[in-house]
Amino acid sequence: MTHRCLVAKKRKSWHPLDDVAVLTSHDTGHDTGNGHSTSTGLSNNKMAMWLFLGSECLLFGGLISTYMLYRGRITQGPRPSQIFDIPFTSVSSFVLLMSSLTMVLAVTSAQRKDNERTKLWLTITALLGATFVGGQVYEFTAFYNEGLGFTTNLFSSSFYTLTGFHGVHVTVGVIMLLSLRGIISANKDTGDRAEVVELIGLYWHFVDIVWIIIFTLVYLIPA
Amino acid sequence: MAIIERPAPTASVSLRAPVTPAQSMGIVRRPVTSTGWKSWVFTVDHKKIGIMYGVFAMFFFIVGGVEALLIRLQLATPDGKILSADLYNQMFTMHATTMIFLFAMPMAAAFANYFLPLQLGARDVAFPRLNALGLWLLVAGGLILNASWFLGGAADGGWFMYSPNSGPVFSPSNGVDFWTLGVQIAGFGSLIGSINLIVTILNMRAPGMTLMKMPVFCWMILVVQFLLVFSLPVITVALVLLTFQRSFGATFFDVAQGADPLLWQHLFWIFGHPEVYVLILPAFGIISEVLPTFSRKPLFGYPFVVFSGASIGLVGFGVWSHHMFATGLGPISVAAFSIATMAIAIPTGVKIFNWTLTMWGGKIWYSTAMKFAIGLIVLFTIGGLSGVTHAVAPSDTQQTDTYYIVAHFHYVLFGGMVFGLFSGFYYWWPKVFGKMLNEKLGGWNFWLMVIGMNMTFGPMHILGLQGQPRRMYVWTEARAGEGFFNFGFWNRVASFGSLILAIGVLLFLINVVHTTRKGKPAPLDPWDARTLEWITTSPPKEHNFDRIPVVHHLDDFFHRKYQEDATTGAMVQIATGEQLVRDEEANADAHIHLPSPSYWPIAIAIGVGTLGMGVVYGVPIMIVGVLIILGSSFGFVLEPSVADDIDYDPPMSGGQETKELAPLG
């Protein structure tokens, strides 16, 4: 066991489950990633992240439902089949999916406390994410030039809102990845570094999985 | 969470070690003031945050109440002249929005914030700074919602803001914009709060407190937070779509483009119906604490109360379309939602049954808190029964958009939720403020509210069945009808009742002022209570518990006071509450460490509020908002949760290994 656990035994903590006379089987001092045990044994941060992602599922659920309801309702402007460039979007989707792989590599490096590799893989993940966002910006510009504005019809409004929301999520992810890289460089992080990388990884994988659904429903299945 | 851990140099109890400000981002110092307004604005203490939620909610309870009185005043006479048709629409819209989003939810959050850690035996919530962020986002949302009164008129589409009426064509003023943004921002606050509270309940329980030894109040709050986590994102989508349509010209609810008005209704009610249970379940939790205490009996069928609460939450996600029976959903949908709605009455009935049997055979102490709890059981049952009549689709189609609906939801929300909250006020006031609310004034408060509420909302059943539409802004003598069913008569009764109700609520406020000025200090255990929040002083110390309790029973505090006599089987008192509290003080933990205050929660909330105003007033303001959010988010993340050695007064050295590693949040 680590040094921290020894410390946890000798000092009294604000936390209810340290320093207790009664220890149940699951809280006999094992490390949950933030230095003290919790009632369930799961780390607070990870549980909160999972709950947040659960909530996000319904956010995208709502947006996807809206898109599915409206995708055939085209009164004016070009039809999706006329403007979608499926090979292009497939490539950018591939880039995004590969970023999940590099994210996993970042997490394992962080767990092995290999800071240089962690920073490297975080940077590569962020670059791949940024490439995807760049592709989306290019795609949106191309669609707009072909006559599909945000206000053109029900399809266009719901298409841009759904994919735009996803794009904003990727952008926020990129910002988080780059910030985390900077914070690790400056050694300014508060808390368990490996867990922080893992939490951002959870978010990143979620955003990727959502894209698989969006890509399938929006691009691959014809309206 | 930000935890400052400091080893005390000696074994003496130093509960409030002075801490000097730490550098945060190298620019801003950590706020450490423990007095004055700064100690409230930058606090992360769950008790202070709870009190602020309560003050905020009470203020808006009065605002919403005045709006309601104006509505009743308008309808008190034929051809009412108090409000114009337009102002009347704004009034009922804002009355409902205020009462739901700015009174009911925040007041439940106040109780949850204050009492969850205390009942769970924890020193704070899981994420103290996020807790503060939730509060300040709510305040930002509330301000934006009500700013509309002064910036060109409030929203006027009813609290569920049906499309296409809420679109730019039919609602040209900025009222709806402020409404969507305000509700949206308050909703973010709620979402953050709910994630925080779920983690708190699941992860921060005192040693020995299994889920089935948890007070029912905690259980009900847990169910409510799950409802919020999964329903708020859906209303977020609806509000985003509406904002995009109104501010950026999207077409979502533009019928000319082929839009489907039912999209809004589905999205709204997928949130809106769970929301109903979000409002009522905290009240159920409160009276599940009050009834056993004042009946001097354990809660009858604890697991049934818990699981019926959970199943209400679960089924609550599958009944939303009963709000839409009149829209022509088709027979299969109507039948399915009708059956689900009837089914949800079963767990609710189980609860009523359990509360009644809790009182059965008990030595009932008719304190004000108990009176309100009994009031809830009776009045909520009436509201519940009229609710079942809505589950019957043919009958509902008849009642849709009449005063019968208004009567129903005021019986469940006022008779149910508000009575539960008032029960909580009287029960927990001595805990929070250390003084007993006056029981005599409390009696008047209760009876005037019961009479007023039945006089106001009872006649609305008759009005509704006679066909008075729910949002009619005037009635005329000529068309009021004859005899017993005369509209005018019952409208006057309702308006008169609302006055009595208002006096009842006013008496509560007078009671609060009276208690604050002249109230006697409360005993430590005034009600001979059962749960852990009473095993500490009133008001609780900043660190809640001198020693973290170890739990062996459901209602652990009660079992520390009473033990079963081996021969007679009767419960015999072995200690008083005061003795227990003194005992805890004598055996206090040596080092207690609390999260330190932070500037960043309120800074982020200001950024979000600015971003919201920017949606109405232009992109530059939006950019400012985004920059504030970004900057303060970095401040939030980079804030050293572990204080440096030099932060302490006097500075300490070599204590690195005794500090808590502090995670995000």
Side-chain angles (χ1 to χ4, degrees):
Chain A
M1 272 303 190
T2 58
H3 175 57
R4 222 185 308 146
C5 283
L6 292 172
V7 171
K9 275 178 194 157
K10 77 176 181 225
R11 61 115 174 81
K12 303 230 172 187
S13 159
W14 69 278
H15 194 273
L17 280 173
D18 293 340
D19 305 310
V20 293
V22 215
L23 287 176
T24 53
S25 59
H26 67 271
D27 53 6
T28 43
H30 68 232
D31 195 38
T32 53
N34 41 342
H36 49 240
S37 329
T38 59
S39 307
T40 55
L42 295 169
S43 118
N44 286 349
N45 292 334
K46 213 176 277 179
M47 190 187 276
M49 181 52 94
W50 278 111
L51 286 166
F52 171 69
L53 295 180
S55 184
E56 289 270 272
C57 286
L58 276 115
L59 182 86
F60 280 103
L63 291 168
I64 290 171
S65 309
T66 306
Y67 174 81
M68 294 307 280
L69 179 68
Y70 283 161
R71 64 182 194 158
R73 303 200 184 175
I74 300 161
T75 45
Q76 51 188 324
R79 302 193 63 81
S81 54
Q82 297 166 320
I83 53 168
F84 280 170
D85 182 355
I86 295 191
F88 176 84
T89 317
S90 301
V91 170
S92 70
S93 304
F94 180 75
V95 168
L96 187 67
L97 293 187
M98 281 308 104
S99 74
S100 261
L101 175 65
T102 57
M103 189 71 230
V104 170
L105 293 170
V107 173
T108 52
S109 309
Q111 282 163 348
R112 278 181 284 129
K113 304 200 186 327
D114 183 345
N115 282 339
E116 292 312 309
R117 288 275 170 86
T118 310
K119 284 190 284 185
L120 176 72
W121 288 121
L122 285 176
T123 316
I124 294 177
T125 310
L127 284 176
L128 291 174
T131 311
F132 173 82
V133 176
Q136 199 171 37
V137 171
Y138 167 79
E139 194 185 55
F140 280 10
T141 320
F143 292 169
Y144 183 76
N145 290 335
E146 285 173 68
L148 191 77
F150 182 58
T151 59
T152 307
N153 54 40
L154 283 165
F155 158 72
S156 75
S157 287
S158 45
F159 168 79
Y160 282 120
T161 304
L162 172 60
T163 50
F165 251 80
H166 180 264
V168 168
H169 274 77
V170 178
T171 311
V172 170
V174 169
I175 294 174
M176 289 200 295
L177 289 166
L178 291 177
S179 310
L180 181 61
R181 191 206 175 281
I183 290 169
I184 292 177
S185 287
N187 212 11
K188 281 256 185 191
D189 45 347
T190 58
D192 183 347
R193 181 172 291 170
E195 194 192 47
V196 175
V197 177
E198 195 185 344
L199 289 179
I200 294 182
L202 283 177
Y203 172 85
W204 192 259
H205 296 315
F206 170 80
V207 171
D208 276 8
I209 292 168
V210 169
W211 180 253
I212 296 178
I213 298 167
I214 294 176
F215 182 61
T216 312
L217 289 178
V218 174
Y219 292 86
L220 297 185
I221 299 176
Chain B
M1 71 211 84
I3 304 298
I4 291 192
E5 180 94 355
R6 183 197 188 207
T10 62
S12 70
V13 183
S14 56
L15 297 177
R16 283 200 203 178
V19 180
T20 51
Q23 296 281 319
S24 178
M25 283 187 84
I27 314 160
V28 187
R29 287 178 161 269
R30 272 196 105 107
V32 288
T33 343
S34 56
T35 51
W37 63 273
K38 280 186 188 167
S39 71
W40 288 89
V41 171
F42 304 126
T43 189
V44 294
D45 177 1
H46 73 96
K47 295 183 288 300
K48 283 184 175 168
I49 290 174
I51 291 173
M52 284 193 282
Y53 265 118
V55 171
F56 176 90
M58 205 59 202
F59 173 75
F60 279 106
F61 185 49
I62 296 164
V63 171
V66 169
E67 285 160 0
L69 284 178
L70 286 170
I71 292 170
R72 277 324 315 171
L73 214 56
Q74 166 81 2
L75 296 178
T77 52
D79 310 304
K81 297 276 188 306
I82 312 275
L83 302 168
S84 66
D86 180 34
L87 208 52
Y88 185 84
N89 291 346
Q90 297 177 26
M91 211 53 83
F92 70 68
T93 304
M94 289 304 282
H95 163 68
T97 307
T98 304
M99 285 302 195
I100 290 167
F101 293 105
L102 304 183
F103 161 64
M105 288 169 75
M107 197 53 98
F111 279 104
N113 257 293
Y114 201 100
F115 291 107
L116 268 188
L118 285 168
Q119 288 200 327
L120 295 170
R123 291 223 159 98
D124 209 319
V125 291
F127 302 100
R129 288 188 300 168
L130 288 182
N131 203 17
L133 178 59
L135 167 74
W136 295 116
L137 284 174
L138 169 75
V139 173
L143 289 179
I144 289 182
L145 262 174
N146 281 283
S148 58
W149 287 113
F150 311 103
L151 298 170
D156 55 3
W159 87 279
F160 39 70
M161 212 51 75
Y162 276 176
S163 75
N165 181 45
S166 55
V169 179
F170 302 106
S171 299
S173 89
N174 275 336
V176 178
D177 297 320
F178 286 111
W179 184 88
T180 48
L181 293 162
V183 173
Q184 177 92 86
I185 292 172
F188 277 137
S190 247
L191 179 68
I192 290 169
S194 58
I195 292 176
N196 187 3
L197 292 181
I198 293 176
V199 177
T200 305
I201 296 173
L202 294 181
N203 263 358
M204 309 274 288
R205 281 167 282 136
M209 185 181 278
T210 57
L211 284 173
M212 294 311 278
K213 284 182 188 151
M214 215 164 63
V216 179
F217 178 70
C218 298
W219 260 110
M220 292 306 111
I221 295 295
L222 181 66
V223 173
V224 165
Q225 307 312 316
F226 270 106
L227 287 172
L228 283 172
V229 163
F230 294 119
S231 66
L232 281 169
V234 183
I235 185 82
T236 304
V237 171
L239 293 170
V240 162
L241 299 184
L242 185 57
T243 308
F244 280 7
Q245 175 169 25
R246 293 184 56 89
S247 299
F248 310 124
T251 51
F252 296 113
F253 306 113
D254 185 352
V255 180
Q257 293 266 19
D260 195 335
L262 281 193
L263 173 65
W264 171 272
Q265 296 195 21
H266 278 295
L267 290 176
F268 186 88
W269 288 117
I270 288 174
F271 154 79
H273 202 82
E275 171 71 14
V276 172
Y277 299 108
V278 166
L279 299 175
I280 193 65
L281 287 178
F284 283 3
I286 290 171
I287 72 156
S288 300
E289 301 296 315
V290 169
L291 287 168
T293 302
F294 293 103
S295 308
R296 323 206 148 277
K297 275 178 68 192
L299 185 67
F300 181 85
Y302 168 89
F304 281 92
V305 178
V306 166
F307 287 120
S308 61
S311 56
I312 287 175
L314 207 66
V315 184
F317 270 106
V319 296
W320 77 86
S321 283
H322 67 216
H323 295 271
M324 300 159 61
F325 281 155
T327 56
L329 291 168
I332 292 172
S333 299
V334 168
F337 282 102
S338 194
I339 290 165
T341 308
M342 290 177 198
I344 209 165
I346 296 170
T348 318
V350 167
K351 275 180 177 310
I352 305 272
F353 180 76
N354 278 288
W355 291 326
T356 315
L357 284 184
T358 301
M359 292 190 286
W360 185 266
K363 291 186 201 119
I364 297 180
W365 174 0
Y366 287 103
S367 70
T368 311
M370 185 66 171
K371 284 179 196 152
F372 273 108
I374 297 172
L376 182 148
I377 299 177
V378 175
L379 296 172
F380 183 84
T381 305
I382 298 174
L385 289 174
S386 61
V388 175
T389 65
H390 298 317
V392 183
S395 151
D396 181 74
T397 315
Q398 191 75 20
Q399 296 148 4
T400 297
D401 270 340
T402 68
Y403 258 80
Y404 189 82
I405 301 281
V406 181
H408 158 70
F409 65 67
H410 279 98
Y411 264 85
V412 288
L413 289 183
F414 202 101
M417 185 199 64
V418 176
F419 271 56
L421 295 176
F422 270 74
S423 173
F425 293 152
Y426 279 91
Y427 178 55
W428 276 317
W429 201 271
K431 182 83 260 171
V432 179
F433 297 103
K435 287 180 178 178
M436 308 285 287
L437 282 174
N438 187 307
E439 285 286 306
K440 200 171 171 191
L441 270 173
W444 282 97
N445 175 199
F446 170 72
W447 286 111
L448 283 175
M449 272 173 74
V450 170
I451 294 166
M453 118 111 224
N454 282 297
M455 264 181 86
T456 311
F457 305 118
M460 291 182 185
H461 290 112
I462 301 167
L463 287 171
L465 289 176
Q466 280 299 99
Q468 176 169 320
R470 134 181 215 187
R471 280 154 183 179
M472 188 174 77
Y473 94 104
V474 283
W475 53 274
T476 50
E477 200 69 80
R479 299 179 60 193
E482 303 268 315
F484 182 75
F485 292 111
N486 179 296
F487 273 10
F489 174 70
W490 291 114
N491 271 306
R492 285 189 187 98
V493 172
S495 292
F496 185 67
S498 68
L499 208 62
I500 297 179
L501 189 53
I503 295 170
V505 174
L506 190 66
L507 275 182
F508 173 73
L509 299 175
I510 291 171
N511 199 349
V512 168
V513 174
H514 173 81
T515 305
T516 313
R517 283 196 178 163
K518 294 185 182 162
K520 279 177 286 189
L524 282 176
D525 183 20
W527 314 122
D528 197 9
R530 312 177 69 86
T531 40
L532 285 180
E533 74 267 28
W534 299 97
I535 201 161
T536 178
T537 49
S538 305
K541 295 169 182 160
E542 205 177 341
H543 53 273
N544 292 355
F545 299 101
D546 287 319
R547 177 170 66 171
I548 291 299
V550 177
V551 176
H552 300 284
H553 297 97
L554 174 66
D555 294 341
D556 204 64
F557 184 58
F558 176 81
H559 285 280
R560 290 178 187 215
K561 290 187 289 186
Y562 294 89
Q563 242 174 21
E564 199 177 324
D565 187 283
T567 47
T568 59
M571 296 304 276
V572 182
Q573 186 157 28
I574 51 166
T576 64
E578 311 223 352
Q579 282 168 347
L580 292 174
V581 175
R582 298 299 162 221
D583 194 39
E584 296 297 301
E585 281 184 335
N587 295 298
D589 287 345
H591 317 304
I592 297 170
H593 306 283
L594 294 171
S596 47
S598 174
Y599 292 120
W600 302 115
I602 193 169
I604 294 179
I606 290 170
V608 175
T610 314
L611 174 64
M613 294 305 270
V615 173
V616 181
Y617 290 111
V619 177
I621 301 176
M622 283 174 83
I623 293 171
V624 173
V626 170
L627 290 179
I628 298 176
I629 296 171
L630 263 179
S632 32
S633 300
F634 275 107
F636 196 101
V637 172
L638 289 171
E639 193 164 53
S641 337
V642 183
D644 282 334
D645 287 357
I646 50 156
D647 294 337
Y648 295 102
D649 190 20
M652 50 166 238
S653 58
Q656 193 64 38
E657 75 280 4
T658 55
K659 287 175 186 168
E660 194 86 52
L661 277 180
L664 293 173

